[in-house]
Amino acid sequence: MPRSTGEKYVLGSLDARSATRLLHASSDFALVLDDDGTILEVVAQGDDAAARAMRSWRGQSWLETVTAESRQKVEAMLHDAQASADAAARWRQVNHPV
């Protein structure tokens, strides 16, 4: 999860603009979260209904955008990210209703 540095968010040593470009080029969609799990930015490919729906998640808690069976997984990922920014993230399947 990118860490906040004032007004900028970084992914490793990348600035926010470069990180966004990298995420856009390498994924169908990506979420940029703050330390509390609020969605700051959605990087989604295309302009179909699903991409537009995902972009509407800005400002919402990530927990509010996932299906009921994914809530515990998201809570665990947020907890792990808050506990240690240096810890390797464990992969999990998360479902969204889109």
Side-chain angles (χ1 to χ4, degrees):
M1 177 182 324
R3 291 184 299 280
S4 170
T5 57
E7 289 294 314
K8 291 190 169 203
Y9 291 84
V10 294
L11 183 64
S13 62
L14 296 177
D15 61 61
R17 178 172 288 155
S18 297
T20 299
R21 287 181 183 151
L22 175 65
L23 291 170
H24 195 272
S26 64
S27 62
D28 293 331
F29 80 97
L31 304 175
V32 178
L33 308 173
D34 69 8
D35 292 336
D36 297 320
T38 300
I39 299 169
L40 300 175
E41 187 62 57
V42 178
V43 180
Q45 298 286 351
D47 197 34
D48 59 6
R52 288 191 301 273
M54 286 185 266
R55 288 185 193 106
S56 74
W57 297 344
R58 287 183 191 112
Q60 294 184 48
S61 168
W62 186 21
L63 283 169
E64 299 301 319
T65 68
V66 299
T67 58
E69 64 272 4
S70 292
R71 289 181 67 87
Q72 283 186 311
K73 296 174 192 177
V74 169
E75 287 172 337
M77 285 189 286
L78 291 171
H79 178 267
D80 291 351
Q82 291 169 344
S84 175
D86 297 325
R90 188 177 133 221
W91 184 91
R92 294 173 179 93
Q93 175 75 38
V94 176
N95 297 311
H96 293 87
V98 173

Coordinates of all heavy atoms in Angstrom, one line a residue:
M1 N 0.8 -1.2 0.0 CA 0.0 0.0 0.0 C 0.9 1.2 0.0 O 1.8 1.3 0.8 CB -0.9 0.0 1.2 CG -1.8 1.2 1.4 SD -2.8 1.2 2.9 CE -3.2 -0.5 3.1
P2 N 0.7 2.2 -0.9 CA 1.5 3.4 -0.9 C 1.3 4.1 0.4 O 0.3 4.1 1.1 CB 0.9 4.2 -2.0 CG 0.2 3.2 -2.9 CD -0.3 2.2 -2.0
R3 N 2.4 4.8 0.9 CA 2.4 5.5 2.1 C 2.2 7.0 1.8 O 2.9 7.5 0.9 CB 3.6 5.2 2.9 CG 3.7 3.8 3.4 CD 4.9 3.6 4.3 NE 6.2 3.8 3.6 CZ 6.7 2.9 2.8 NH1 6.2 1.8 2.6 NH2 7.9 3.2 2.3
S4 N 1.5 7.7 2.7 CA 1.3 9.1 2.5 C 2.5 9.9 2.9 O 3.2 9.6 3.9 CB 0.1 9.5 3.4 OG 0.1 10.9 3.4
T5 N 2.9 10.9 2.1 CA 4.0 11.8 2.5 C 3.4 13.2 2.2 O 3.7 13.9 1.3 CB 5.2 11.6 1.6 OG1 4.9 11.7 0.2 CG2 5.8 10.2 1.9
G6 N 2.5 13.6 3.1 CA 1.8 14.9 2.9 C 0.8 14.8 1.8 O -0.1 14.0 1.8
E7 N 1.0 15.6 0.8 CA 0.1 15.6 -0.4 C 0.4 14.6 -1.4 O -0.3 14.4 -2.3 CB 0.1 17.0 -1.0 CG -0.6 18.1 -0.2 CD -2.1 17.8 -0.1 OE1 -2.7 17.5 -1.1 OE2 -2.6 18.0 1.1
K8 N 1.6 14.0 -1.3 CA 2.0 13.0 -2.3 C 1.9 11.6 -1.8 O 2.0 11.4 -0.6 CB 3.5 13.3 -2.7 CG 3.7 14.5 -3.5 CD 5.1 14.6 -4.1 CE 5.1 15.7 -5.1 NZ 6.2 15.5 -6.0
Y9 N 1.7 10.7 -2.7 CA 1.7 9.3 -2.3 C 2.8 8.6 -3.2 O 2.9 8.9 -4.3 CB 0.3 8.7 -2.6 CG -0.7 9.2 -1.6 CD1 -1.3 10.4 -1.8 CD2 -0.9 8.5 -0.4 CE1 -2.1 10.9 -0.9 CE2 -1.8 9.1 0.5 CZ -2.4 10.3 0.3 OH -3.2 10.8 1.2
V10 N 3.5 7.7 -2.6 CA 4.6 7.0 -3.3 C 4.5 5.5 -3.3 O 3.9 4.9 -2.4 CB 6.0 7.4 -2.6 CG1 6.2 8.9 -2.8 CG2 6.0 7.0 -1.2
L11 N 5.0 4.9 -4.3 CA 5.1 3.5 -4.5 C 6.6 3.2 -4.6 O 7.2 3.4 -5.6 CB 4.3 3.0 -5.7 CG 4.2 1.6 -6.0 CD1 3.5 0.9 -4.9 CD2 3.6 1.3 -7.3
G12 N 7.2 2.8 -3.5 CA 8.6 2.7 -3.5 C 9.2 4.1 -3.6 O 8.9 5.0 -2.9
S13 N 10.1 4.2 -4.6 CA 10.8 5.5 -4.8 C 10.1 6.3 -5.9 O 10.6 7.4 -6.3 CB 12.2 5.3 -5.1 OG 12.4 4.6 -6.3
L14 N 9.0 5.8 -6.4 CA 8.2 6.5 -7.5 C 7.4 7.6 -7.0 O 6.8 7.5 -5.9 CB 7.4 5.6 -8.3 CG 8.0 4.4 -9.1 CD1 7.0 3.5 -9.7 CD2 9.0 5.0 -10.1
D15 N 7.3 8.7 -7.7 CA 6.3 9.8 -7.3 C 4.9 9.3 -7.7 O 4.8 8.3 -8.4 CB 6.7 11.1 -8.0 CG 6.7 11.0 -9.5 OD1 5.6 10.7 -10.1 OD2 7.8 11.2 -10.1
A16 N 3.9 10.1 -7.3 CA 2.5 9.7 -7.5 C 2.2 9.5 -9.0 O 1.5 8.6 -9.4 CB 1.6 10.7 -6.8
R17 N 2.6 10.4 -9.8 CA 2.3 10.4 -11.2 C 2.9 9.2 -11.9 O 2.3 8.4 -12.6 CB 2.8 11.7 -11.9 CG 2.5 11.6 -13.4 CD 2.7 12.9 -14.1 NE 1.7 13.8 -13.6 CZ 1.8 15.2 -13.6 NH1 2.9 15.8 -14.0 NH2 0.8 15.9 -13.2
S18 N 4.2 8.9 -11.6 CA 4.8 7.7 -12.2 C 4.2 6.4 -11.7 O 4.0 5.5 -12.4 CB 6.3 7.7 -11.9 OG 7.0 8.8 -12.4
A19 N 3.9 6.4 -10.4 CA 3.3 5.2 -9.8 C 1.9 4.9 -10.5 O 1.6 3.8 -10.8 CB 3.1 5.3 -8.3
T20 N 1.1 6.0 -10.7 CA -0.2 5.8 -11.4 C 0.0 5.3 -12.8 O -0.7 4.4 -13.2 CB -0.9 7.2 -11.4 OG1 -1.1 7.6 -10.0 CG2 -2.3 7.1 -12.1
R21 N 1.0 5.8 -13.5 CA 1.2 5.4 -14.9 C 1.6 3.9 -14.9 O 1.2 3.1 -15.7 CB 2.3 6.2 -15.6 CG 1.8 7.6 -15.9 CD 2.9 8.3 -16.6 NE 2.5 9.7 -16.9 CZ 3.3 10.7 -17.0 NH1 4.6 10.6 -16.8 NH2 2.8 11.9 -17.3
L22 N 2.5 3.5 -14.0 CA 2.9 2.1 -13.9 C 1.7 1.2 -13.6 O 1.5 0.1 -14.2 CB 4.0 1.9 -12.8 CG 4.4 0.5 -12.5 CD1 5.1 -0.1 -13.7 CD2 5.3 0.5 -11.3
L23 N 0.9 1.6 -12.6 CA -0.3 0.8 -12.3 C -1.3 0.7 -13.4 O -1.8 -0.4 -13.7 CB -1.0 1.4 -11.0 CG -0.2 1.3 -9.7 CD1 -0.9 2.1 -8.6 CD2 0.0 -0.2 -9.3
H24 N -1.5 1.8 -14.1 CA -2.4 1.8 -15.3 C -1.9 0.8 -16.4 O -2.7 0.1 -17.0 CB -2.5 3.2 -15.8 CG -3.7 3.4 -16.7 ND1 -3.6 3.2 -18.0 CD2 -5.0 3.7 -16.5 CE1 -4.8 3.4 -18.6 NE2 -5.6 3.7 -17.7
A25 N -0.6 0.8 -16.6 CA -0.1 0.0 -17.7 C 0.0 -1.5 -17.3 O 0.0 -2.4 -18.2 CB 1.3 0.5 -18.0
S26 N 0.0 -1.8 -16.0 CA 0.3 -3.2 -15.6 C -0.9 -3.9 -15.0 O -0.8 -5.1 -14.5 CB 1.4 -3.2 -14.6 OG 1.1 -2.5 -13.4
S27 N -2.1 -3.3 -14.9 CA -3.2 -3.9 -14.2 C -4.5 -3.5 -14.9 O -4.6 -2.5 -15.5 CB -3.2 -3.6 -12.7 OG -3.4 -2.2 -12.5
D28 N -5.6 -4.3 -14.6 CA -6.9 -3.9 -15.1 C -7.4 -2.8 -14.2 O -8.1 -1.9 -14.7 CB -7.9 -5.1 -15.0 CG -7.5 -6.2 -15.9 OD1 -7.0 -5.9 -17.0 OD2 -7.8 -7.4 -15.6
F29 N -7.2 -2.9 -12.9 CA -7.5 -1.8 -12.1 C -6.6 -1.8 -10.8 O -6.1 -2.9 -10.4 CB -9.0 -1.7 -11.7 CG -9.5 -2.6 -10.7 CD1 -9.6 -2.2 -9.3 CD2 -9.8 -3.9 -11.0 CE1 -10.0 -3.0 -8.4 CE2 -10.3 -4.8 -10.0 CZ -10.4 -4.3 -8.7
A30 N -6.4 -0.7 -10.2 CA -5.7 -0.6 -8.9 C -6.3 0.4 -8.1 O -6.9 1.4 -8.5 CB -4.2 -0.3 -9.2
L31 N -6.2 0.2 -6.8 CA -6.7 1.2 -5.8 C -5.6 1.8 -5.0 O -4.7 1.1 -4.6 CB -7.7 0.5 -4.8 CG -8.8 -0.3 -5.4 CD1 -9.6 -1.0 -4.3 CD2 -9.8 0.6 -6.2
V32 N -5.6 3.1 -4.9 CA -4.6 3.8 -4.0 C -5.4 4.2 -2.7 O -6.4 4.8 -2.8 CB -4.1 5.1 -4.7 CG1 -3.1 5.8 -3.8 CG2 -3.4 4.7 -6.0
L33 N -4.9 3.7 -1.6 CA -5.6 3.8 -0.3 C -4.8 4.7 0.6 O -3.5 4.8 0.5 CB -5.7 2.4 0.3 CG -6.3 1.3 -0.5 CD1 -6.2 0.0 0.3 CD2 -7.8 1.7 -0.8
D34 N -5.5 5.3 1.5 CA -4.8 6.0 2.6 C -4.5 5.0 3.8 O -4.9 3.8 3.6 CB -5.5 7.3 3.1 CG -6.8 7.0 3.8 OD1 -7.1 5.9 4.1 OD2 -7.5 8.0 4.1
D35 N -3.9 5.5 4.8 CA -3.6 4.6 5.9 C -4.8 3.9 6.6 O -4.7 2.9 7.3 CB -2.8 5.3 7.0 CG -1.4 5.7 6.5 OD1 -0.9 5.0 5.5 OD2 -0.8 6.6 7.0
D36 N -6.0 4.5 6.4 CA -7.2 4.0 7.1 C -8.0 3.1 6.1 O -9.0 2.6 6.5 CB -8.1 5.2 7.5 CG -7.4 6.0 8.6 OD1 -6.8 5.4 9.5 OD2 -7.6 7.2 8.6
G37 N -7.5 2.9 4.9 CA -8.2 2.1 3.9 C -9.3 2.8 3.1 O -10.1 2.2 2.4
T38 N -9.2 4.1 3.1 CA -10.1 4.9 2.3 C -9.5 5.0 0.9 O -8.3 5.2 0.7 CB -10.3 6.4 2.8 OG1 -10.8 6.2 4.1 CG2 -11.2 7.2 2.0
I39 N -10.3 4.8 -0.1 CA -9.8 4.9 -1.5 C -9.6 6.3 -2.0 O -10.5 7.1 -2.0 CB -10.8 4.2 -2.4 CG1 -11.0 2.7 -2.0 CG2 -10.4 4.3 -3.9 CD1 -12.2 2.0 -2.7
L40 N -8.4 6.6 -2.3 CA -8.0 7.9 -2.7 C -8.1 8.1 -4.2 O -8.4 9.1 -4.7 CB -6.6 8.3 -2.2 CG -6.3 8.3 -0.7 CD1 -4.9 8.5 -0.4 CD2 -7.2 9.3 -0.1
E41 N -7.7 7.0 -4.9 CA -7.7 7.0 -6.4 C -8.0 5.6 -6.9 O -7.6 4.6 -6.3 CB -6.3 7.5 -6.9 CG -6.2 7.7 -8.4 CD -7.2 8.8 -8.8 OE1 -7.1 9.9 -8.4 OE2 -8.0 8.4 -9.7
V42 N -8.6 5.6 -8.0 CA -8.9 4.3 -8.7 C -8.3 4.4 -10.1 O -8.6 5.4 -10.8 CB -10.4 4.0 -8.9 CG1 -10.7 2.8 -9.6 CG2 -11.1 4.0 -7.5
V43 N -7.4 3.5 -10.4 CA -6.8 3.4 -11.8 C -7.5 2.3 -12.4 O -7.3 1.1 -12.1 CB -5.3 3.2 -11.7 CG1 -4.7 3.2 -13.1 CG2 -4.7 4.3 -10.9
A44 N -8.4 2.5 -13.4 CA -9.1 1.5 -14.1 C -9.0 1.6 -15.6 O -9.1 2.7 -16.1 CB -10.6 1.6 -13.7
Q45 N -8.8 0.5 -16.3 CA -8.7 0.5 -17.7 C -10.1 0.6 -18.3 O -11.1 0.2 -17.8 CB -8.1 -0.9 -18.2 CG -6.7 -1.2 -17.7 CD -5.7 -0.3 -18.4 OE1 -6.0 0.3 -19.4 NE2 -4.5 -0.4 -17.9
G46 N -10.1 1.4 -19.4 CA -11.4 1.5 -20.2 C -12.4 2.5 -19.6 O -12.1 3.2 -18.7
D47 N -13.5 2.5 -20.3 CA -14.5 3.5 -19.9 C -15.9 2.7 -19.9 O -16.9 3.3 -20.2 CB -14.6 4.7 -20.8 CG -15.4 5.8 -20.2 OD1 -15.3 6.0 -18.9 OD2 -16.0 6.6 -20.9
D48 N -15.9 1.4 -19.7 CA -17.1 0.7 -19.7 C -17.8 0.9 -18.3 O -17.3 1.6 -17.5 CB -16.9 -0.8 -19.9 CG -15.9 -1.5 -19.0 OD1 -15.5 -0.8 -18.0 OD2 -15.5 -2.6 -19.2
A49 N -19.0 0.3 -18.2 CA -19.7 0.5 -16.9 C -19.0 0.0 -15.7 O -19.0 0.7 -14.7 CB -21.1 -0.3 -17.0
A50 N -18.2 -1.1 -15.8 CA -17.5 -1.5 -14.6 C -16.4 -0.5 -14.2 O -16.2 -0.2 -13.0 CB -16.9 -2.9 -14.9
A51 N -15.7 0.0 -15.2 CA -14.6 1.0 -14.9 C -15.2 2.2 -14.3 O -14.7 2.8 -13.3 CB -13.8 1.3 -16.2
R52 N -16.3 2.7 -14.8 CA -17.0 3.9 -14.3 C -17.5 3.6 -12.9 O -17.3 4.5 -12.0 CB -18.1 4.3 -15.2 CG -17.6 5.0 -16.5 CD -18.8 5.6 -17.3 NE -19.9 4.7 -17.6 CZ -19.9 3.9 -18.7 NH1 -18.9 4.0 -19.5 NH2 -20.9 3.2 -18.9
A53 N -18.0 2.4 -12.6 CA -18.5 2.1 -11.3 C -17.3 2.1 -10.3 O -17.4 2.6 -9.2 CB -19.2 0.7 -11.3
M54 N -16.2 1.5 -10.7 CA -15.0 1.5 -9.8 C -14.5 2.9 -9.5 O -14.1 3.2 -8.4 CB -13.9 0.6 -10.5 CG -14.2 -0.8 -10.4 SD -12.8 -1.8 -11.1 CE -13.2 -2.0 -12.8
R55 N -14.5 3.7 -10.5 CA -14.0 5.1 -10.2 C -14.9 5.9 -9.3 O -14.5 6.8 -8.6 CB -14.0 5.9 -11.6 CG -12.8 5.4 -12.4 CD -12.6 6.3 -13.7 NE -11.7 5.6 -14.6 CZ -12.1 5.0 -15.7 NH1 -13.4 5.0 -16.1 NH2 -11.2 4.4 -16.5
S56 N -16.2 5.4 -9.1 CA -17.1 6.1 -8.2 C -16.8 5.7 -6.7 O -17.3 6.2 -5.8 CB -18.6 5.7 -8.5 OG -18.8 4.3 -8.1
W57 N -15.8 4.8 -6.5 CA -15.4 4.3 -5.2 C -14.5 5.4 -4.5 O -14.3 5.2 -3.3 CB -14.7 3.0 -5.2 CG -15.5 1.8 -5.7 CD1 -16.8 1.7 -5.8 CD2 -15.0 0.6 -6.2 NE1 -17.2 0.5 -6.3 CE2 -16.0 -0.2 -6.5 CE3 -13.7 0.1 -6.3 CZ2 -15.9 -1.5 -7.0 CZ3 -13.5 -1.2 -6.8 CH2 -14.6 -2.0 -7.1
R58 N -14.0 6.3 -5.2 CA -13.2 7.3 -4.5 C -13.9 7.9 -3.3 O -15.0 8.3 -3.4 CB -12.8 8.5 -5.5 CG -11.9 8.1 -6.6 CD -11.5 9.3 -7.5 NE -10.8 8.8 -8.7 CZ -11.3 8.9 -9.9 NH1 -12.5 9.4 -10.1 NH2 -10.6 8.5 -10.9
G59 N -13.1 8.0 -2.2 CA -13.6 8.6 -1.0 C -14.3 7.5 -0.1 O -14.6 7.8 1.1
Q60 N -14.6 6.3 -0.6 CA -15.2 5.3 0.2 C -14.2 4.4 0.9 O -13.0 4.3 0.4 CB -16.1 4.4 -0.7 CG -17.3 5.1 -1.3 CD -18.1 4.1 -2.1 OE1 -18.4 3.0 -1.6 NE2 -18.4 4.4 -3.3
S61 N -14.6 3.7 2.0 CA -13.7 2.7 2.6 C -13.7 1.5 1.6 O -14.7 1.1 1.0 CB -14.4 2.3 3.9 OG -13.7 1.2 4.4
W62 N -12.5 1.0 1.5 CA -12.3 -0.2 0.6 C -13.3 -1.3 1.1 O -13.9 -2.0 0.3 CB -10.9 -0.7 0.7 CG -10.5 -1.8 -0.3 CD1 -11.2 -2.2 -1.4 CD2 -9.4 -2.7 -0.2 NE1 -10.6 -3.2 -2.0 CE2 -9.5 -3.6 -1.3 CE3 -8.4 -2.8 0.7 CZ2 -8.5 -4.6 -1.5 CZ3 -7.4 -3.8 0.5 CH2 -7.5 -4.7 -0.6
L63 N -13.5 -1.4 2.4 CA -14.4 -2.4 3.0 C -15.8 -2.3 2.4 O -16.5 -3.3 2.3 CB -14.4 -2.3 4.5 CG -13.2 -2.9 5.2 CD1 -13.3 -2.5 6.7 CD2 -13.2 -4.4 5.1
E64 N -16.2 -1.1 2.1 CA -17.6 -0.9 1.6 C -17.7 -1.3 0.1 O -18.8 -1.3 -0.4 CB -18.0 0.6 1.8 CG -18.0 1.0 3.3 CD -18.9 0.1 4.1 OE1 -20.0 -0.2 3.7 OE2 -18.5 -0.2 5.2
T65 N -16.6 -1.6 -0.6 CA -16.7 -1.9 -2.0 C -16.6 -3.3 -2.3 O -16.6 -3.7 -3.5 CB -15.6 -1.1 -2.8 OG1 -14.3 -1.6 -2.4 CG2 -15.7 0.4 -2.5
V66 N -16.3 -4.2 -1.3 CA -16.2 -5.6 -1.5 C -17.4 -6.4 -1.1 O -18.2 -5.9 -0.3 CB -14.9 -6.1 -0.8 CG1 -13.7 -5.4 -1.3 CG2 -15.0 -6.0 0.7
T67 N -17.5 -7.6 -1.6 CA -18.6 -8.5 -1.2 C -18.4 -8.9 0.2 O -17.3 -8.9 0.8 CB -18.7 -9.7 -2.1 OG1 -17.4 -10.4 -2.1 CG2 -19.0 -9.3 -3.6
A68 N -19.5 -9.4 0.8 CA -19.4 -9.8 2.3 C -18.4 -10.9 2.5 O -17.7 -10.8 3.6 CB -20.8 -10.4 2.7
E69 N -18.2 -11.8 1.6 CA -17.2 -12.9 1.9 C -15.7 -12.3 1.8 O -14.8 -13.0 2.2 CB -17.4 -14.1 1.0 CG -17.2 -13.8 -0.5 CD -18.4 -13.3 -1.2 OE1 -19.5 -13.1 -0.6 OE2 -18.4 -13.1 -2.4
S70 N -15.5 -11.2 1.3 CA -14.2 -10.6 1.1 C -13.8 -9.6 2.2 O -12.7 -9.2 2.4 CB -14.1 -9.9 -0.2 OG -14.1 -10.8 -1.3
R71 N -14.8 -9.2 3.1 CA -14.5 -8.2 4.1 C -13.4 -8.6 5.0 O -12.5 -7.8 5.4 CB -15.8 -7.9 4.8 CG -16.8 -7.1 4.0 CD -18.0 -6.7 4.8 NE -17.8 -5.8 5.9 CZ -17.7 -4.5 5.7 NH1 -18.0 -3.9 4.6 NH2 -17.5 -3.7 6.8
Q72 N -13.4 -9.9 5.5 CA -12.4 -10.3 6.4 C -11.0 -10.3 5.8 O -10.0 -10.0 6.4 CB -12.7 -11.7 7.0 CG -13.7 -11.7 8.0 CD -13.9 -13.1 8.6 OE1 -14.0 -14.1 7.9 NE2 -13.9 -13.2 9.9
K73 N -10.9 -10.6 4.5 CA -9.6 -10.6 3.8 C -9.1 -9.2 3.7 O -7.9 -8.9 3.9 CB -9.8 -11.2 2.4 CG -10.2 -12.6 2.4 CD -10.5 -13.1 0.9 CE -11.1 -14.4 0.9 NZ -11.5 -14.8 -0.5
V74 N -10.0 -8.2 3.4 CA -9.6 -6.8 3.3 C -9.2 -6.3 4.7 O -8.1 -5.6 4.8 CB -10.7 -6.0 2.7 CG1 -10.4 -4.5 2.8 CG2 -10.9 -6.4 1.2
E75 N -9.9 -6.6 5.7 CA -9.5 -6.2 7.0 C -8.2 -6.7 7.4 O -7.3 -6.0 8.0 CB -10.6 -6.7 8.0 CG -11.9 -5.9 8.0 CD -13.0 -6.5 8.8 OE1 -12.9 -7.7 9.2 OE2 -13.9 -5.8 9.2
A76 N -7.9 -8.0 7.1 CA -6.6 -8.6 7.4 C -5.5 -7.9 6.6 O -4.4 -7.6 7.1 CB -6.6 -10.1 7.0
M77 N -5.7 -7.6 5.3 CA -4.7 -6.9 4.5 C -4.4 -5.5 5.0 O -3.3 -5.1 5.1 CB -5.1 -6.8 3.0 CG -5.0 -8.2 2.3 SD -5.2 -8.0 0.5 CE -7.0 -7.9 0.5
L78 N -5.5 -4.8 5.4 CA -5.3 -3.4 6.0 C -4.5 -3.5 7.3 O -3.6 -2.7 7.5 CB -6.6 -2.7 6.2 CG -7.4 -2.4 4.9 CD1 -8.8 -1.9 5.2 CD2 -6.6 -1.3 4.1
H79 N -4.9 -4.5 8.1 CA -4.2 -4.6 9.4 C -2.7 -4.9 9.2 O -1.8 -4.3 9.8 CB -4.8 -5.8 10.2 CG -4.1 -6.0 11.5 ND1 -3.1 -7.0 11.6 CD2 -4.3 -5.5 12.7 CE1 -2.7 -7.0 12.8 NE2 -3.3 -6.1 13.5
D80 N -2.4 -5.8 8.3 CA -1.0 -6.2 8.0 C -0.2 -5.0 7.4 O 0.9 -4.8 7.8 CB -0.9 -7.3 6.9 CG -1.4 -8.7 7.5 OD1 -1.7 -8.8 8.7 OD2 -1.6 -9.6 6.7
A81 N -0.9 -4.2 6.6 CA -0.2 -3.0 6.0 C 0.1 -2.0 7.1 O 1.1 -1.3 7.1 CB -1.1 -2.4 4.9
Q82 N -0.9 -1.8 8.0 CA -0.7 -0.8 9.1 C 0.3 -1.3 10.1 O 1.1 -0.5 10.7 CB -2.0 -0.5 9.8 CG -3.0 0.2 8.9 CD -4.4 0.3 9.5 OE1 -4.7 -0.5 10.4 NE2 -5.2 1.2 8.9
A83 N 0.4 -2.6 10.3 CA 1.4 -3.2 11.3 C 2.8 -3.0 10.8 O 3.7 -2.8 11.6 CB 1.0 -4.6 11.6
S84 N 3.0 -3.2 9.5 CA 4.4 -3.1 9.0 C 4.4 -2.7 7.6 O 4.0 -3.5 6.7 CB 5.1 -4.4 9.2 OG 6.4 -4.4 8.6
A85 N 4.9 -1.6 7.3 CA 5.0 -1.1 5.9 C 6.0 -1.9 5.1 O 6.0 -2.0 3.9 CB 5.3 0.4 5.8
D86 N 6.9 -2.6 5.8 CA 8.0 -3.4 5.1 C 7.6 -4.8 4.9 O 8.4 -5.5 4.3 CB 9.3 -3.2 5.9 CG 9.8 -1.8 6.0 OD1 9.6 -1.1 5.0 OD2 10.3 -1.4 7.0
A87 N 6.5 -5.3 5.5 CA 6.2 -6.7 5.4 C 5.7 -7.0 4.0 O 5.1 -6.2 3.3 CB 5.1 -7.0 6.4
A88 N 6.1 -8.2 3.6 CA 5.6 -8.7 2.3 C 4.1 -9.0 2.3 O 3.7 -9.6 3.3 CB 6.4 -9.9 1.9
A89 N 3.4 -8.5 1.4 CA 2.0 -8.7 1.3 C 1.6 -10.1 1.0 O 2.2 -10.7 0.1 CB 1.3 -7.7 0.4
R90 N 0.7 -10.7 1.6 CA 0.2 -12.0 1.3 C -0.9 -11.9 0.3 O -1.8 -11.0 0.4 CB -0.4 -12.7 2.6 CG -0.7 -14.1 2.3 CD -1.1 -14.8 3.6 NE -2.4 -15.5 3.3 CZ -3.4 -15.6 4.0 NH1 -3.5 -15.0 5.2 NH2 -4.5 -16.2 3.6
W91 N -0.9 -12.6 -0.8 CA -1.8 -12.6 -1.9 C -3.2 -13.1 -1.4 O -3.2 -14.1 -0.7 CB -1.3 -13.4 -3.1 CG -2.2 -13.3 -4.3 CD1 -2.1 -12.4 -5.3 CD2 -3.3 -14.2 -4.6 NE1 -3.1 -12.7 -6.2 CE2 -3.9 -13.7 -5.8 CE3 -3.9 -15.2 -3.9 CZ2 -4.9 -14.3 -6.4 CZ3 -5.0 -15.8 -4.5 CH2 -5.5 -15.4 -5.7
R92 N -4.3 -12.4 -1.8 CA -5.6 -12.9 -1.4 C -6.6 -12.6 -2.6 O -6.4 -11.6 -3.3 CB -6.2 -12.2 -0.2 CG -5.4 -12.6 1.1 CD -5.9 -11.7 2.2 NE -5.2 -12.0 3.5 CZ -4.2 -11.4 3.9 NH1 -3.6 -10.4 3.2 NH2 -3.6 -11.7 5.1
Q93 N -7.5 -13.4 -2.8 CA -8.6 -13.2 -3.8 C -9.7 -12.3 -3.1 O -10.2 -12.7 -2.1 CB -9.2 -14.5 -4.3 CG -10.4 -14.3 -5.2 CD -10.0 -13.9 -6.6 OE1 -9.0 -14.4 -7.1 NE2 -10.7 -13.1 -7.2
V94 N -10.0 -11.1 -3.7 CA -11.0 -10.2 -3.2 C -12.0 -10.0 -4.3 O -11.7 -9.8 -5.4 CB -10.4 -8.9 -2.8 CG1 -11.4 -7.9 -2.3 CG2 -9.3 -9.1 -1.7
N95 N -13.3 -10.1 -3.9 CA -14.4 -9.9 -4.8 C -15.1 -8.6 -4.6 O -15.4 -8.2 -3.5 CB -15.4 -11.1 -4.7 CG -14.8 -12.4 -5.0 OD1 -14.1 -12.6 -6.0 ND2 -15.0 -13.4 -4.1
H96 N -15.4 -7.9 -5.7 CA -16.2 -6.7 -5.7 C -17.5 -7.0 -6.5 O -17.5 -7.8 -7.4 CB -15.4 -5.6 -6.5 CG -14.2 -5.1 -5.7 ND1 -13.0 -5.7 -5.9 CD2 -14.0 -4.2 -4.8 CE1 -12.1 -5.2 -5.1 NE2 -12.7 -4.2 -4.5
P97 N -18.5 -6.3 -6.1 CA -19.8 -6.6 -6.8 C -19.9 -6.1 -8.2 O -20.9 -6.4 -8.9 CB -20.8 -5.9 -5.9 CG -20.1 -4.9 -5.2 CD -18.7 -5.4 -5.0
V98 N -18.9 -5.4 -8.7 CA -19.0 -4.9 -10.1 C -18.8 -6.0 -11.1 O -17.9 -6.8 -11.0 CB -17.9 -3.8 -10.3 CG1 -17.9 -3.4 -11.7 CG2 -18.3 -2.6 -9.4

